[in-house]
Amino acid sequence: MVVLARGTRLFATAMAVVCLVLLGPSAPSGALFIRSLPVDAAEEVVPNRVMTWNICNPCDESNADRAAEIATYAPQVVGMQEACVRDVERIRDYLRRFYGLAYHVEYGTVLRDWGRCGGAPWSPGAFGQAILSAAPMTDRVAVEYPDGGSEDRGYLAVTTRVGGKSVRIFNTHLAQRSQEAVRAKQAKVLAAQLARRDTAIVIGDLNAVPDAPELAPLWKLAEDTDPECRPPAATCEPTTDWQSKFDYVFLRGIAPLKHRVRPTDYSDHHLLYTDLRL
């Protein structure tokens, strides 16, 4: 994988600021400047860092800005929810071209939706989960839950390397907020797969606060990356614009070093990343 040193990355992003990049239907103006990164941005991919981010679709946001948000923290693995394949491809391309970050990609498509993802009515774009990884991924499994609720939902699982070690990663998006009974069934399906692993990471938008009863099967098997965030007396930093924690990095057999929640202007969900002790 090609990773640029800080000086080269800063030069590349500075030059990109003066170049217009055509973004297509995801940008209402049709073109935007590529953002330069803050001075404290990660110098290169952080090998033990895992991120989850619901990128919000349809939200009509710039994929160039989404790429800049990811590049600022440069995780080894990024799990995205509400992800259109066309958007992810653009994000991945901008990460490589403008920030020197090369990622492999796998998709967990649950819908083909013209309204969300564009394309022709007879050939709509794919929508669901996506995982970017700086290391190659193997053993991909994409599963739709038997009951998605008001919209099809599922999980994507891959094996990749984090911190130099092989790790199984699950990326999921559970049913919408008012559908507790559906989420309970989905959480049991996911927990059954998690229980088969001694070490694993579950990332995603679970659409439930930590003490929600439907998440109990996951809490029995794993812990949140925030050691203070555990029911019944959970003290958890919000991960959404409506001040609820819906986004998680659950760890099974893996210890966290630190985590950060970073609000963003480009989604109604914040970025959540964790550095792991592996």
Side-chain angles (χ1 to χ4, degrees), residues 46-89:
V46 182
N48 64 331
R49 179 169 293 172
V50 173
M51 174 187 287
T52 184
W53 190 20
N54 182 321
I55 62 174
C56 188
N57 256 309
C59 287
D60 213 21
E61 296 292 347
S62 160
N63 289 313
D65 286 325
R66 287 167 169 164
E69 293 287 276
I70 294 170
T72 297
Y73 307 106
Q76 176 79 4
V77 173
V78 187
M80 290 180 277
Q81 304 86 44
E82 296 193 20
C84 294
V85 168
R86 289 183 179 89
D87 289 331
V88 174
E89 287 300 322

mmCIF file of all heavy atoms in Angstrom, residues 46-89:
data_model
loop_
_atom_site.group_PDB
_atom_site.id
_atom_site.type_symbol
_atom_site.label_atom_id
_atom_site.label_comp_id
_atom_site.label_asym_id
_atom_site.label_seq_id
_atom_site.Cartn_x
_atom_site.Cartn_y
_atom_site.Cartn_z
ATOM 1 N N VAL A 46 -3.097 4.560 10.552
ATOM 2 C CA VAL A 46 -2.824 4.117 11.918
ATOM 3 C C VAL A 46 -3.176 2.639 12.000
ATOM 4 O O VAL A 46 -4.359 2.271 11.918
ATOM 5 C CB VAL A 46 -3.639 4.941 12.937
ATOM 6 C CG1 VAL A 46 -3.305 4.504 14.362
ATOM 7 C CG2 VAL A 46 -3.365 6.433 12.759
ATOM 8 N N PRO A 47 -2.198 1.740 12.151
ATOM 9 C CA PRO A 47 -2.437 0.311 11.924
ATOM 10 C C PRO A 47 -3.364 -0.361 12.924
ATOM 11 O O PRO A 47 -3.924 -1.418 12.629
ATOM 12 C CB PRO A 47 -1.033 -0.299 11.976
ATOM 13 C CG PRO A 47 -0.208 0.691 12.730
ATOM 14 C CD PRO A 47 -0.773 2.031 12.404
ATOM 15 N N ASN A 48 -3.543 0.234 14.112
ATOM 16 C CA ASN A 48 -4.414 -0.392 15.117
ATOM 17 C C ASN A 48 -5.705 0.398 15.327
ATOM 18 O O ASN A 48 -6.369 0.254 16.347
ATOM 19 C CB ASN A 48 -3.685 -0.522 16.449
ATOM 20 C CG ASN A 48 -3.334 0.835 17.062
ATOM 21 O OD1 ASN A 48 -3.137 1.812 16.335
ATOM 22 N ND2 ASN A 48 -3.250 0.909 18.376
ATOM 23 N N ARG A 49 -6.080 1.225 14.347
ATOM 24 C CA ARG A 49 -7.252 2.098 14.479
ATOM 25 C C ARG A 49 -8.418 1.577 13.634
ATOM 26 O O ARG A 49 -8.266 1.282 12.452
ATOM 27 C CB ARG A 49 -6.901 3.519 14.073
ATOM 28 C CG ARG A 49 -8.064 4.513 14.163
ATOM 29 C CD ARG A 49 -7.566 5.938 14.011
ATOM 30 N NE ARG A 49 -6.735 6.320 15.155
ATOM 31 C CZ ARG A 49 -6.031 7.447 15.239
ATOM 32 N NH1 ARG A 49 -6.052 8.313 14.226
ATOM 33 N NH2 ARG A 49 -5.312 7.702 16.306
ATOM 34 N N VAL A 50 -9.600 1.513 14.260
ATOM 35 C CA VAL A 50 -10.829 1.064 13.598
ATOM 36 C C VAL A 50 -11.876 2.158 13.775
ATOM 37 O O VAL A 50 -12.054 2.701 14.866
ATOM 38 C CB VAL A 50 -11.323 -0.255 14.203
ATOM 39 C CG1 VAL A 50 -12.691 -0.638 13.632
ATOM 40 C CG2 VAL A 50 -10.318 -1.374 13.944
ATOM 41 N N MET A 51 -12.601 2.474 12.697
ATOM 42 C CA MET A 51 -13.594 3.548 12.706
ATOM 43 C C MET A 51 -14.942 3.027 12.231
ATOM 44 O O MET A 51 -15.005 2.165 11.349
ATOM 45 C CB MET A 51 -13.135 4.690 11.791
ATOM 46 C CG MET A 51 -14.150 5.811 11.614
ATOM 47 S SD MET A 51 -13.633 7.039 10.363
ATOM 48 C CE MET A 51 -12.331 7.886 11.248
ATOM 49 N N THR A 52 -15.997 3.581 12.808
ATOM 50 C CA THR A 52 -17.346 3.364 12.286
ATOM 51 C C THR A 52 -17.985 4.711 12.012
ATOM 52 O O THR A 52 -17.791 5.673 12.762
ATOM 53 C CB THR A 52 -18.207 2.544 13.268
ATOM 54 O OG1 THR A 52 -19.483 2.282 12.663
ATOM 55 C CG2 THR A 52 -18.416 3.249 14.593
ATOM 56 N N TRP A 53 -18.759 4.769 10.904
ATOM 57 C CA TRP A 53 -19.397 6.029 10.522
ATOM 58 C C TRP A 53 -20.611 5.746 9.649
ATOM 59 O O TRP A 53 -20.485 5.156 8.576
ATOM 60 C CB TRP A 53 -18.413 6.920 9.766
ATOM 61 C CG TRP A 53 -18.891 8.333 9.540
ATOM 62 C CD1 TRP A 53 -19.870 8.998 10.226
ATOM 63 C CD2 TRP A 53 -18.400 9.260 8.570
ATOM 64 N NE1 TRP A 53 -20.014 10.275 9.753
ATOM 65 C CE2 TRP A 53 -19.124 10.467 8.738
ATOM 66 C CE3 TRP A 53 -17.418 9.198 7.587
ATOM 67 C CZ2 TRP A 53 -18.893 11.582 7.942
ATOM 68 C CZ3 TRP A 53 -17.192 10.308 6.796
ATOM 69 C CH2 TRP A 53 -17.911 11.499 6.976
ATOM 70 N N ASN A 54 -21.774 6.155 10.125
ATOM 71 C CA ASN A 54 -22.968 6.192 9.285
ATOM 72 C C ASN A 54 -22.880 7.479 8.475
ATOM 73 O O ASN A 54 -23.018 8.574 9.018
ATOM 74 C CB ASN A 54 -24.239 6.170 10.153
ATOM 75 C CG ASN A 54 -25.508 6.162 9.326
ATOM 76 O OD1 ASN A 54 -25.606 6.824 8.305
ATOM 77 N ND2 ASN A 54 -26.506 5.420 9.784
ATOM 78 N N ILE A 55 -22.660 7.346 7.167
ATOM 79 C CA ILE A 55 -22.370 8.529 6.349
ATOM 80 C C ILE A 55 -23.618 9.260 5.880
ATOM 81 O O ILE A 55 -23.508 10.295 5.221
ATOM 82 C CB ILE A 55 -21.476 8.180 5.144
ATOM 83 C CG1 ILE A 55 -22.167 7.192 4.200
ATOM 84 C CG2 ILE A 55 -20.142 7.628 5.613
ATOM 85 C CD1 ILE A 55 -21.378 6.937 2.912
ATOM 86 N N CYS A 56 -24.802 8.734 6.237
ATOM 87 C CA CYS A 56 -26.069 9.440 6.020
ATOM 88 C C CYS A 56 -26.448 9.505 4.544
ATOM 89 O O CYS A 56 -25.872 10.260 3.771
ATOM 90 C CB CYS A 56 -26.030 10.857 6.613
ATOM 91 S SG CYS A 56 -27.628 11.702 6.588
ATOM 92 N N ASN A 57 -27.428 8.706 4.182
ATOM 93 C CA ASN A 57 -27.954 8.701 2.826
ATOM 94 C C ASN A 57 -29.471 8.550 2.869
ATOM 95 O O ASN A 57 -29.970 7.698 3.611
ATOM 96 C CB ASN A 57 -27.359 7.538 2.013
ATOM 97 C CG ASN A 57 -26.307 7.992 1.051
ATOM 98 O OD1 ASN A 57 -26.540 8.910 0.292
ATOM 99 N ND2 ASN A 57 -25.162 7.334 1.065
ATOM 100 N N PRO A 58 -30.228 9.336 2.104
ATOM 101 C CA PRO A 58 -29.711 10.381 1.207
ATOM 102 C C PRO A 58 -29.560 11.710 1.944
ATOM 103 O O PRO A 58 -30.532 12.237 2.474
ATOM 104 C CB PRO A 58 -30.818 10.489 0.147
ATOM 105 C CG PRO A 58 -32.072 10.093 0.900
ATOM 106 C CD PRO A 58 -31.663 9.115 1.965
ATOM 107 N N CYS A 59 -28.357 12.219 1.990
ATOM 108 C CA CYS A 59 -28.077 13.492 2.669
ATOM 109 C C CYS A 59 -27.431 14.510 1.745
ATOM 110 O O CYS A 59 -27.134 15.620 2.170
ATOM 111 C CB CYS A 59 -27.189 13.271 3.887
ATOM 112 S SG CYS A 59 -28.056 12.507 5.265
ATOM 113 N N ASP A 60 -27.152 14.104 0.504
ATOM 114 C CA ASP A 60 -26.665 15.049 -0.496
ATOM 115 C C ASP A 60 -25.376 15.728 -0.070
ATOM 116 O O ASP A 60 -25.184 16.925 -0.269
ATOM 117 C CB ASP A 60 -27.739 16.099 -0.800
ATOM 118 C CG ASP A 60 -27.695 16.552 -2.262
ATOM 119 O OD1 ASP A 60 -27.148 15.793 -3.081
ATOM 120 O OD2 ASP A 60 -28.189 17.643 -2.563
ATOM 121 N N GLU A 61 -24.486 14.955 0.572
ATOM 122 C CA GLU A 61 -23.207 15.498 1.027
ATOM 123 C C GLU A 61 -22.104 15.222 0.011
ATOM 124 O O GLU A 61 -22.221 14.339 -0.835
ATOM 125 C CB GLU A 61 -22.824 14.899 2.388
ATOM 126 C CG GLU A 61 -23.772 15.258 3.522
ATOM 127 C CD GLU A 61 -23.732 16.723 3.888
ATOM 128 O OE1 GLU A 61 -22.810 17.424 3.440
ATOM 129 O OE2 GLU A 61 -24.632 17.173 4.624
ATOM 130 N N SER A 62 -21.023 15.975 0.134
ATOM 131 C CA SER A 62 -19.891 15.834 -0.772
ATOM 132 C C SER A 62 -19.030 14.641 -0.378
ATOM 133 O O SER A 62 -18.587 14.529 0.763
ATOM 134 C CB SER A 62 -19.042 17.111 -0.740
ATOM 135 O OG SER A 62 -17.745 16.872 -1.213
ATOM 136 N N ASN A 63 -18.769 13.763 -1.337
ATOM 137 C CA ASN A 63 -17.871 12.645 -1.072
ATOM 138 C C ASN A 63 -16.436 13.104 -0.882
ATOM 139 O O ASN A 63 -15.650 12.432 -0.207
ATOM 140 C CB ASN A 63 -17.969 11.630 -2.202
ATOM 141 C CG ASN A 63 -19.290 10.894 -2.186
ATOM 142 O OD1 ASN A 63 -19.730 10.421 -1.151
ATOM 143 N ND2 ASN A 63 -19.936 10.817 -3.340
ATOM 144 N N ALA A 64 -16.077 14.242 -1.452
ATOM 145 C CA ALA A 64 -14.748 14.797 -1.212
ATOM 146 C C ALA A 64 -14.590 15.173 0.258
ATOM 147 O O ALA A 64 -13.545 14.921 0.875
ATOM 148 C CB ALA A 64 -14.518 16.014 -2.098
ATOM 149 N N ASP A 65 -15.624 15.760 0.843
ATOM 150 C CA ASP A 65 -15.558 16.113 2.264
ATOM 151 C C ASP A 65 -15.588 14.868 3.143
ATOM 152 O O ASP A 65 -14.915 14.815 4.175
ATOM 153 C CB ASP A 65 -16.713 17.042 2.627
ATOM 154 C CG ASP A 65 -16.505 18.458 2.106
ATOM 155 O OD1 ASP A 65 -15.350 18.917 2.082
ATOM 156 O OD2 ASP A 65 -17.495 19.099 1.714
ATOM 157 N N ARG A 66 -16.364 13.886 2.750
ATOM 158 C CA ARG A 66 -16.363 12.634 3.505
ATOM 159 C C ARG A 66 -14.971 12.004 3.497
ATOM 160 O O ARG A 66 -14.490 11.507 4.520
ATOM 161 C CB ARG A 66 -17.375 11.664 2.897
ATOM 162 C CG ARG A 66 -18.835 12.018 3.158
ATOM 163 C CD ARG A 66 -19.749 11.211 2.271
ATOM 164 N NE ARG A 66 -21.153 11.323 2.645
ATOM 165 C CZ ARG A 66 -22.164 10.981 1.869
ATOM 166 N NH1 ARG A 66 -21.918 10.513 0.639
ATOM 167 N NH2 ARG A 66 -23.404 11.098 2.279
ATOM 168 N N ALA A 67 -14.311 12.019 2.346
ATOM 169 C CA ALA A 67 -12.963 11.467 2.250
ATOM 170 C C ALA A 67 -11.992 12.237 3.142
ATOM 171 O O ALA A 67 -11.135 11.637 3.811
ATOM 172 C CB ALA A 67 -12.482 11.491 0.802
ATOM 173 N N ALA A 68 -12.119 13.555 3.174
ATOM 174 C CA ALA A 68 -11.234 14.362 4.022
ATOM 175 C C ALA A 68 -11.432 14.038 5.494
ATOM 176 O O ALA A 68 -10.471 14.007 6.277
ATOM 177 C CB ALA A 68 -11.468 15.845 3.764
ATOM 178 N N GLU A 69 -12.689 13.786 5.908
ATOM 179 C CA GLU A 69 -12.948 13.411 7.298
ATOM 180 C C GLU A 69 -12.237 12.102 7.638
ATOM 181 O O GLU A 69 -11.607 11.978 8.696
ATOM 182 C CB GLU A 69 -14.452 13.260 7.531
ATOM 183 C CG GLU A 69 -15.231 14.553 7.430
ATOM 184 C CD GLU A 69 -15.001 15.454 8.631
ATOM 185 O OE1 GLU A 69 -15.664 15.270 9.657
ATOM 186 O OE2 GLU A 69 -14.125 16.339 8.521
ATOM 187 N N ILE A 70 -12.330 11.112 6.765
ATOM 188 C CA ILE A 70 -11.669 9.830 7.008
ATOM 189 C C ILE A 70 -10.153 9.996 6.996
ATOM 190 O O ILE A 70 -9.435 9.457 7.855
ATOM 191 C CB ILE A 70 -12.119 8.798 5.967
ATOM 192 C CG1 ILE A 70 -13.610 8.481 6.153
ATOM 193 C CG2 ILE A 70 -11.285 7.518 6.051
ATOM 194 C CD1 ILE A 70 -14.222 7.663 5.033
ATOM 195 N N ALA A 71 -9.644 10.762 6.039
ATOM 196 C CA ALA A 71 -8.196 10.945 5.922
ATOM 197 C C ALA A 71 -7.608 11.639 7.139
ATOM 198 O O ALA A 71 -6.441 11.407 7.494
ATOM 199 C CB ALA A 71 -7.874 11.740 4.653
ATOM 200 N N THR A 72 -8.376 12.482 7.800
ATOM 201 C CA THR A 72 -7.875 13.177 8.987
ATOM 202 C C THR A 72 -7.441 12.190 10.066
ATOM 203 O O THR A 72 -6.445 12.403 10.751
ATOM 204 C CB THR A 72 -8.958 14.121 9.539
ATOM 205 O OG1 THR A 72 -9.246 15.112 8.548
ATOM 206 C CG2 THR A 72 -8.507 14.797 10.824
ATOM 207 N N TYR A 73 -8.172 11.077 10.185
ATOM 208 C CA TYR A 73 -7.886 10.100 11.243
ATOM 209 C C TYR A 73 -7.223 8.842 10.696
ATOM 210 O O TYR A 73 -6.656 8.067 11.467
ATOM 211 C CB TYR A 73 -9.179 9.755 11.989
ATOM 212 C CG TYR A 73 -9.876 11.004 12.472
ATOM 213 C CD1 TYR A 73 -11.032 11.472 11.840
ATOM 214 C CD2 TYR A 73 -9.346 11.763 13.507
ATOM 215 C CE1 TYR A 73 -11.655 12.639 12.258
ATOM 216 C CE2 TYR A 73 -9.960 12.930 13.924
ATOM 217 C CZ TYR A 73 -11.116 13.363 13.300
ATOM 218 O OH TYR A 73 -11.718 14.533 13.696
ATOM 219 N N ALA A 74 -7.296 8.618 9.408
ATOM 220 C CA ALA A 74 -6.577 7.566 8.680
ATOM 221 C C ALA A 74 -6.602 6.209 9.381
ATOM 222 O O ALA A 74 -5.561 5.632 9.691
ATOM 223 C CB ALA A 74 -5.123 8.009 8.444
ATOM 224 N N PRO A 75 -7.789 5.665 9.644
ATOM 225 C CA PRO A 75 -7.852 4.359 10.319
ATOM 226 C C PRO A 75 -7.421 3.216 9.412
ATOM 227 O O PRO A 75 -7.495 3.320 8.187
ATOM 228 C CB PRO A 75 -9.328 4.236 10.691
ATOM 229 C CG PRO A 75 -10.027 5.066 9.670
ATOM 230 C CD PRO A 75 -9.115 6.214 9.352
ATOM 231 N N GLN A 76 -6.998 2.133 10.025
ATOM 232 C CA GLN A 76 -6.688 0.920 9.281
ATOM 233 C C GLN A 76 -7.953 0.337 8.657
ATOM 234 O O GLN A 76 -7.927 -0.150 7.526
ATOM 235 C CB GLN A 76 -6.054 -0.117 10.220
ATOM 236 C CG GLN A 76 -5.764 -1.478 9.614
ATOM 237 C CD GLN A 76 -4.513 -1.502 8.769
ATOM 238 O OE1 GLN A 76 -3.804 -0.502 8.680
ATOM 239 N NE2 GLN A 76 -4.216 -2.648 8.163
ATOM 240 N N VAL A 77 -9.056 0.408 9.387
ATOM 241 C CA VAL A 77 -10.338 -0.134 8.927
ATOM 242 C C VAL A 77 -11.418 0.919 9.146
ATOM 243 O O VAL A 77 -11.480 1.547 10.207
ATOM 244 C CB VAL A 77 -10.704 -1.428 9.677
ATOM 245 C CG1 VAL A 77 -12.118 -1.887 9.314
ATOM 246 C CG2 VAL A 77 -9.707 -2.528 9.368
ATOM 247 N N VAL A 78 -12.279 1.108 8.143
ATOM 248 C CA VAL A 78 -13.425 2.003 8.236
ATOM 249 C C VAL A 78 -14.670 1.209 7.876
ATOM 250 O O VAL A 78 -14.759 0.653 6.779
ATOM 251 C CB VAL A 78 -13.311 3.196 7.261
ATOM 252 C CG1 VAL A 78 -14.448 4.183 7.520
ATOM 253 C CG2 VAL A 78 -11.961 3.867 7.362
ATOM 254 N N GLY A 79 -15.639 1.174 8.782
ATOM 255 C CA GLY A 79 -16.934 0.579 8.483
ATOM 256 C C GLY A 79 -17.950 1.680 8.255
ATOM 257 O O GLY A 79 -18.122 2.544 9.117
ATOM 258 N N MET A 80 -18.618 1.676 7.113
ATOM 259 C CA MET A 80 -19.618 2.688 6.795
ATOM 260 C C MET A 80 -20.991 2.052 6.689
ATOM 261 O O MET A 80 -21.118 0.930 6.189
ATOM 262 C CB MET A 80 -19.262 3.401 5.487
ATOM 263 C CG MET A 80 -18.048 4.314 5.603
ATOM 264 S SD MET A 80 -17.643 5.148 4.036
ATOM 265 C CE MET A 80 -16.704 3.848 3.232
ATOM 266 N N GLN A 81 -21.992 2.781 7.163
ATOM 267 C CA GLN A 81 -23.380 2.370 7.012
ATOM 268 C C GLN A 81 -24.102 3.413 6.151
ATOM 269 O O GLN A 81 -23.621 4.518 5.974
ATOM 270 C CB GLN A 81 -24.071 2.237 8.371
ATOM 271 C CG GLN A 81 -23.376 1.279 9.334
ATOM 272 C CD GLN A 81 -22.272 1.954 10.127
ATOM 273 O OE1 GLN A 81 -22.442 3.068 10.625
ATOM 274 N NE2 GLN A 81 -21.135 1.271 10.259
ATOM 275 N N GLU A 82 -25.283 3.037 5.645
ATOM 276 C CA GLU A 82 -26.029 3.876 4.704
ATOM 277 C C GLU A 82 -25.133 4.284 3.534
ATOM 278 O O GLU A 82 -25.106 5.438 3.107
ATOM 279 C CB GLU A 82 -26.632 5.102 5.399
ATOM 280 C CG GLU A 82 -27.664 4.751 6.454
ATOM 281 C CD GLU A 82 -28.487 5.938 6.912
ATOM 282 O OE1 GLU A 82 -28.553 6.956 6.206
ATOM 283 O OE2 GLU A 82 -29.096 5.833 7.996
ATOM 284 N N ALA A 83 -24.425 3.316 3.012
ATOM 285 C CA ALA A 83 -23.393 3.579 2.009
ATOM 286 C C ALA A 83 -23.853 3.115 0.630
ATOM 287 O O ALA A 83 -24.181 1.942 0.437
ATOM 288 C CB ALA A 83 -22.099 2.860 2.387
ATOM 289 N N CYS A 84 -23.873 4.044 -0.321
ATOM 290 C CA CYS A 84 -24.084 3.709 -1.724
ATOM 291 C C CYS A 84 -22.748 3.336 -2.353
ATOM 292 O O CYS A 84 -21.731 3.993 -2.096
ATOM 293 C CB CYS A 84 -24.682 4.888 -2.479
ATOM 294 S SG CYS A 84 -26.350 5.331 -1.958
ATOM 295 N N VAL A 85 -22.758 2.309 -3.178
ATOM 296 C CA VAL A 85 -21.509 1.860 -3.796
ATOM 297 C C VAL A 85 -20.847 2.996 -4.570
ATOM 298 O O VAL A 85 -19.630 3.191 -4.488
ATOM 299 C CB VAL A 85 -21.765 0.643 -4.702
ATOM 300 C CG1 VAL A 85 -20.545 0.340 -5.574
ATOM 301 C CG2 VAL A 85 -22.120 -0.577 -3.860
ATOM 302 N N ARG A 86 -21.613 3.783 -5.321
ATOM 303 C CA ARG A 86 -21.017 4.879 -6.096
ATOM 304 C C ARG A 86 -20.320 5.883 -5.181
ATOM 305 O O ARG A 86 -19.242 6.381 -5.495
ATOM 306 C CB ARG A 86 -22.098 5.590 -6.912
ATOM 307 C CG ARG A 86 -22.649 4.782 -8.079
ATOM 308 C CD ARG A 86 -23.661 5.603 -8.872
ATOM 309 N NE ARG A 86 -24.197 4.885 -10.009
ATOM 310 C CZ ARG A 86 -25.268 4.099 -9.967
ATOM 311 N NH1 ARG A 86 -25.913 3.941 -8.822
ATOM 312 N NH2 ARG A 86 -25.696 3.468 -11.048
ATOM 313 N N ASP A 87 -20.938 6.190 -4.038
ATOM 314 C CA ASP A 87 -20.318 7.128 -3.108
ATOM 315 C C ASP A 87 -19.029 6.556 -2.524
ATOM 316 O O ASP A 87 -18.016 7.257 -2.422
ATOM 317 C CB ASP A 87 -21.287 7.466 -1.970
ATOM 318 C CG ASP A 87 -22.441 8.328 -2.433
ATOM 319 O OD1 ASP A 87 -22.265 9.102 -3.395
ATOM 320 O OD2 ASP A 87 -23.532 8.222 -1.844
ATOM 321 N N VAL A 88 -19.065 5.292 -2.143
ATOM 322 C CA VAL A 88 -17.881 4.674 -1.547
ATOM 323 C C VAL A 88 -16.735 4.640 -2.554
ATOM 324 O O VAL A 88 -15.572 4.886 -2.204
ATOM 325 C CB VAL A 88 -18.204 3.261 -1.026
ATOM 326 C CG1 VAL A 88 -16.938 2.562 -0.534
ATOM 327 C CG2 VAL A 88 -19.233 3.336 0.103
ATOM 328 N N GLU A 89 -17.042 4.353 -3.808
ATOM 329 C CA GLU A 89 -15.986 4.331 -4.819
ATOM 330 C C GLU A 89 -15.344 5.711 -4.966
ATOM 331 O O GLU A 89 -14.122 5.828 -5.122
ATOM 332 C CB GLU A 89 -16.548 3.849 -6.160
ATOM 333 C CG GLU A 89 -16.839 2.350 -6.190
ATOM 334 C CD GLU A 89 -15.599 1.517 -5.928
ATOM 335 O OE1 GLU A 89 -14.499 1.885 -6.390
ATOM 336 O OE2 GLU A 89 -15.715 0.494 -5.238
#
